[in-house]
Amino acid sequence: MKHGDQARTIELPDGTLLPAIGQGTWNLGENPSSREEEVRALRFGIERG
């Protein structure tokens, strides 16, 4: 991953650059008892860019 003034990117093995996005939300919402922790984790990531 590259940082700096430019948008963060990921370089694939073939050299293709993609924007680094996403927070891995695949299983969010599956367990109602985990909701508060999941929301906290998402907000943490959003706030830090």
Side-chain angles (χ1 to χ4, degrees):
M1 192 175 316
K2 299 178 181 180
H3 298 279
D5 294 335
Q6 301 175 1
R8 293 179 187 172
T9 59
I10 304 266
E11 185 173 351
L12 300 179
D14 70 357
T16 302
L17 293 176
L18 298 175
I21 59 173
Q23 292 195 50
T25 59
W26 179 260
N27 291 316
L28 287 183
E30 297 291 321
N31 184 346
S33 67
S34 299
R35 184 180 191 286
E36 286 183 39
E37 182 180 0
E38 293 169 348
V39 170
R40 237 185 347 265
L42 286 172
R43 286 186 177 147
F44 181 87
I46 291 168
E47 289 168 358
R48 277 142 189 88

